Amino acid sequence: MSMMSFAPSHSDKFAFGVWCVTNAGRDPFGDATRKPMPAMQAIRGLGERNVWGFEFHDNDVFPLGASAAQVRKIVRDVRAIMADTGICCCSGTTNLFFHPVFKDGAFTSHDPQIRAYAVHKVMHAIDLAAELGAQNFLFWGGREGAEVDAAKDPIEAIRRFREAMNFLCAYVRQNKYKMTFTIEPKPNEPRGDLYMPSVGNALAFIETLDPPNRAMVGVNPEVAHIKMAGLNPYHEYGQALEAGKLFELHLNDQKPVRYDQDLTFGSASLKESFFIVKLMVDHKFAGIKAFDAHAYRSEDIDGVWDFVERNMRTYKILEEKAYEARANRDLSALLEEIQAGNKAYEKLFTKYSPAAVRKLKALKFDPDKMATGRRLAYEKLDQILTEILLGIR
Ligand code: NOJ
Ligand code: MG
């Protein structure tokens, strides 16, 4: 039994969506299985468990159609909980998917009136998020997709998405809000297909925004969404990180290529989860680590808090395992052997020049010898890592 407590601290920058905690277990086939927890109780409970931040959709906390006086009262109540518990509001977002008005999209709807309503709703949500101190604002286009391709040209849909994002970036800049935006990719669900299906799609889209807006927009990829697309979270997060665009994580778990399961982090694929954590440790990720999952439908309210604590604890344990792996001599010796190559060939094409071309083209290579000359002991490597994870090394 480890002597470490694995207790969360604010420096972990762990966060939860309010919607994750208030989730009452409803699914497309069945009703709620536990009483919905009020948002205020959810935020307070998170704060009391030393969670650093919470994130919210506008209507998780501010009911649709709330009067100005109601909004003011809610802001005061949330602030009081923040002051009492020390939790911060790290990210805001807009519910652009629940109301039937968004049944065929928000930013990508055919109807300019619906698109205008969506942008109007986002600006109000941004104001509230900024007032509560949010440093990031999420864009998950849950209804930005299609079932019937005959109905919508994807080029037009992307163009509309871009128009909305450019306008909203300008809004944030003009108000001098210290806030970034993130796009959250997902391949499908609730629409048959969504327009921003993977990290790569979102990264490419960001580069097409108006130049002053590009730097403020990144991604917050979610493990479950990546695995629904059958992709590898280590690689997806890696590409976003390498591009300097990984502003926030949405951590959870998922059995691949199924409906969106939003399972507890590490509960379905421990080894893949380890590699996500290892990536963050290796590259000193300093952004928001939000858990976007929910407790099993079979749980009651106590189980919801077990779920909250378990997500963070598993992350911290895997973090410890990442340090253990780094310090393991067998692993590092083997890695050194595997990663070594013929250094004489190192900088042959780092910089283009006619001389470099001449030199490289004139070289003689013996591919047969190169293919067999060096052992890549991956079986051994993976076994050492497996044993570190299983706690016997
Ligand atoms: C609900 C989605 O399931 C989740 O993945 C997303 O992060 C939030 N909405 C934010 O929009
Ligand atoms: Mg998410």
Side-chain angles (χ1 to χ4, degrees):
M1 185 80 178
S2 169
M3 298 305 285
M4 301 183 71
S5 79
F6 303 112
S9 75
H10 281 191
S11 61
D12 291 315
K13 288 181 111 177
F14 287 146
F16 280 82
V18 167
W19 65 90
C20 303
V21 184
T22 57
N23 180 294
R26 197 170 277 111
D27 73 14
F29 299 97
D31 211 342
T33 56
R34 48 186 174 254
K35 270 209 199 117
M37 192 190 298
M40 297 299 163
Q41 196 182 320
I43 299 171
R44 183 174 289 282
L46 290 170
E48 286 168 352
R49 283 164 182 82
N50 229 9
V51 176
W52 167 75
F54 72 89
E55 40 193 46
F56 72 106
H57 298 95
D58 47 358
N59 305 135
D60 293 342
V61 177
F62 303 92
L64 191 64
S67 69
Q70 282 169 318
V71 168
R72 286 299 100 210
K73 160 133 187 26
I74 295 171
V75 168
R76 278 197 304 277
D77 291 350
V78 175
R79 281 203 158 140
I81 296 172
M82 290 166 71
D84 279 358
T85 65
I87 195 168
C88 74
C89 169
C90 60
S91 310
T93 185
T94 324
N95 189 325
L96 295 176
F97 46 88
F98 192 78
H99 195 284
V101 69
F102 299 123
K103 61 181 182 275
D104 195 27
F107 296 165
T108 60
S109 166
H110 283 304
D111 186 343
Q113 192 180 12
I114 295 175
R115 299 205 297 276
Y117 173 53
V119 172
H120 154 105
K121 195 170 189 290
V122 175
M123 286 192 291
H124 284 289
I126 287 176
D127 291 343
L128 289 168
E131 193 176 347
L132 292 173
Q135 64 186 66
N136 190 31
F137 200 87
L138 314 172
F139 290 84
W140 171 65
R143 296 284 170 198
E144 315 294 7
E147 291 76 35
V148 176
D149 279 337
K152 208 176 278 181
D153 177 351
I155 291 183
E156 182 56 17
I158 297 290
R159 194 197 62 72
R160 290 176 188 161
F161 205 112
R162 181 185 302 115
E163 186 176 85
M165 291 299 285
N166 272 328
F167 190 87
L168 292 164
C169 284
Y171 179 72
V172 163
R173 288 191 291 106
Q174 188 247 318
N175 278 284
K176 300 202 168 21
Y177 291 148
K178 288 197 171 24
M179 186 184 272
T180 52
F181 281 176
T182 53
I183 296 175
E184 179 175 348
K186 188 174 183 184
N188 59 276
E189 202 186 316
R191 301 306 301 268
D193 290 287
L194 294 174
Y195 290 121
M196 223 49 85
S198 73
V199 166
N201 295 81
L203 293 179
F205 171 77
I206 292 167
E207 293 313 304
T208 70
L209 293 172
D210 290 345
N213 300 336
R214 288 175 200 162
M216 66 174 282
V217 185
V219 288
N220 67 298
E222 176 171 318
V223 180
H225 300 175
I226 294 171
K227 294 185 71 172
M228 286 171 72
L231 299 173
N232 180 338
Y234 187 50
H235 296 191
E236 289 279 279
Y237 281 120
Q239 184 161 7
L241 200 54
E242 201 274 339
K245 290 295 188 189
L246 190 61
F247 297 174
E248 174 167 342
L249 313 177
H250 266 193
L251 296 167
N252 57 10
D253 213 342
Q254 166 83 22
K255 301 214 168 131
V257 207
R258 298 188 190 180
Y259 70 96
D260 189 2
Q261 296 177 310
D262 281 341
L263 299 169
T264 296
F265 181 63
S267 65
S269 47
L270 214 40
K271 200 164 173 187
E272 276 187 1
S273 307
F274 164 76
F275 277 102
I276 297 168
V277 176
K278 180 180 182 299
L279 187 73
M280 304 311 147
V281 168
D282 285 350
H283 298 278
K284 300 187 174 60
F285 174 72
I288 302 165
K289 298 182 198 111
F291 296 97
D292 185 5
H294 48 76
Y296 302 125
R297 197 165 173 258
S298 39
E299 285 291 358
D300 59 9
I301 294 289
D302 289 341
V304 172
W305 295 117
D306 288 346
F307 148 83
V308 164
E309 284 170 355
R310 177 179 178 219
N311 275 280
M312 298 186 287
R313 185 172 163 82
T314 299
Y315 190 100
K316 299 278 290 183
I317 295 171
L318 291 177
E319 206 169 55
E320 185 53 30
K321 289 285 168 191
Y323 288 116
E324 265 181 43
R326 186 185 283 177
N328 185 286
R329 288 181 185 216
D330 297 336
L331 195 76
S332 48
L334 197 52
L335 265 178
E336 211 173 295
E337 221 177 283
I338 286 168
Q339 291 173 356
N342 192 332
K343 295 278 183 285
Y345 290 78
E346 192 80 274
K347 292 196 165 125
L348 282 174
F349 53 93
T350 0
K351 196 166 185 303
Y352 188 87
S353 73
V357 170
R358 273 196 303 279
K359 188 169 173 192
L360 187 48
K361 284 182 89 177
L363 286 178
K364 298 269 179 283
F365 292 95
D366 181 349
D368 290 341
K369 198 164 158 222
M370 288 157 69
T372 52
R374 217 159 48 83
R375 181 161 179 232
L376 298 172
Y378 287 168
E379 294 291 356
K380 211 168 174 183
L381 181 78
D382 192 58
Q383 186 61 22
I384 297 175
L385 182 82
T386 303
E387 293 184 7
I388 294 172
L389 293 182
L390 293 177
I392 62 156
R393 259 182 197 263

